[in-house]
Amino acid sequence: MSFSSEVKKEIAKELPGKKCCAVAMCYGILLYCNTFSPMEIKIITGSTDFGKMLPKLFKKAFGFGFDSVSNSAGERGKGTFVISDREKINTIFDTYGYSPGGMVAHHVNLGVIEDDCCRISFLKGAFLAGGSVTDPTKRYHFEIATAHYNVSRETYAIFLELSFEPKETTRKGNYIIYLKQSEQIADLLTTLGAQISSMNLLSAKIEKGMTNSVNRQVNCDTANVKKTVDASRNQMEAIRLIAETLGLDNLPDKLRDTAALRVENPELSISELAELHVPPVSKSCLNHRLRKLMEISEKIKGQGGNEG
């Protein structure tokens, strides 16, 4: 499974808690899907998890499902979800303030997504329907694409309102919003509910950072570099396990702060990481906290990890 598929699987694993967020998520899907017109709505996806979520999501948002669901010939491995009933389409158009007979060009009705929770849900839907993220072991790249200029410009404004600073470009008649900085992509994945994928991206960054460091410092002690790489990787794995099971918010404040700094700075040495704390801590204090995180992780493993 590709990294992009893993991200979509994580985002699609649960429905929004509130109806307004379900409506917002559907909005993002519809504006970035294959067909959204007064005559027909068609969503085609290769994500099994997204496909499983779609009928439940539309039921929660609008009170009805799709008129047909199938695996299209020529679209091997992809599910096709269609609404052709005029009354259902009119209900959807009315929900977003559109007039089915008068809509000339797609645009985002920002009044439907005034709250941050709904803006985030909108971006979840946009990514599930029209987005991708590259395997971080190769490069860092997140994007969503649409053929509609107004939709892209207004979605760009939503990113800005959520404190992200993406770039824009065009490709083969599509309008692209993209991010290339690993930190921003990791933050965005966390915001969209893909915390584990965000951690995996940061783990990949460790590998890259350490490898680049070795290449730059060819005269350094190889054994010590390997020890540092292994220790940092093990710490990240422990923090990821704690995040998946116990939850970082349930850690004591000092351990939570140390875990957050390690995740944000996977390439730093113990000395450098200790100096980032406010106030700075000693190497021995930081080592104690990291050992405590490792102990918590080992205890979780001993209890069966995240099984069940």
Side-chain angles (χ1 to χ4, degrees), residues 36-234:
F36 179 35
S37 76
M39 301 300 296
E40 181 183 60
I41 290 171
K42 179 185 291 184
I43 303 165
I44 301 175
T45 179
S47 170
T48 302
D49 298 278
F50 179 33
K52 289 179 180 178
M53 183 200 70
L54 270 171
K56 300 175 185 176
L57 179 65
F58 270 64
K59 183 72 173 178
K60 181 167 186 174
F62 306 115
F64 53 75
F66 294 90
D67 296 324
S68 67
V69 177
S70 64
N71 288 322
S72 304
E75 296 286 351
R76 186 177 180 183
K78 294 185 177 181
T80 302
F81 301 78
V82 176
I83 296 177
S84 54
D85 181 271
R86 193 62 59 85
E87 185 175 343
K88 290 182 180 179
I89 294 176
N90 288 345
T91 297
I92 292 173
F93 271 63
D94 184 64
T95 298
Y96 299 120
Y98 297 155
S99 172
M103 190 175 75
V104 177
H106 284 299
H107 69 92
V108 181
N109 180 354
L110 298 176
V112 178
I113 49 174
E114 292 183 342
D115 298 329
D116 280 352
C117 62
C118 291
R119 294 188 184 105
I120 292 169
S121 293
F122 175 88
L123 293 183
K124 286 182 180 181
F127 174 72
L128 287 170
S132 64
V133 56
T134 303
D135 184 341
T137 62
K138 299 176 181 177
R139 62 192 180 102
Y140 305 119
H141 184 86
F142 172 101
E143 71 172 46
I144 55 175
T146 177
H148 308 292
Y149 173 76
N150 289 334
V151 170
S152 186
R153 290 299 300 152
E154 290 153 357
T155 301
Y156 180 83
I158 295 170
F159 274 99
L160 295 180
E161 289 174 354
L162 293 173
S163 300
F164 293 99
E165 299 180 359
K167 304 292 185 181
E168 296 178 285
T169 189
T170 57
R171 186 194 309 130
K172 297 180 179 179
N174 287 322
Y175 300 92
I176 314 294
I177 297 173
Y178 68 93
L179 292 167
K180 283 189 172 295
Q181 294 184 352
S182 59
E183 294 83 359
Q184 282 217 10
I185 296 174
D187 287 346
L188 179 57
L189 294 183
T190 298
T191 299
L192 297 181
Q195 292 90 345
I196 305 306
S197 295
S198 177
M199 295 285 285
N200 288 337
L201 184 150
L202 292 169
S203 292
K205 183 180 178 181
I206 291 178
E207 300 289 346
K208 282 187 178 182
M210 292 301 183
T211 300
N212 291 337
S213 177
V214 170
N215 291 335
R216 289 193 301 267
Q217 301 176 27
V218 293
N219 295 321
C220 72
D221 188 330
T222 302
N224 286 339
V225 171
K226 185 177 184 304
K227 182 179 178 180
T228 300
V229 172
D230 290 343
S232 182
R233 183 190 298 114
N234 290 339

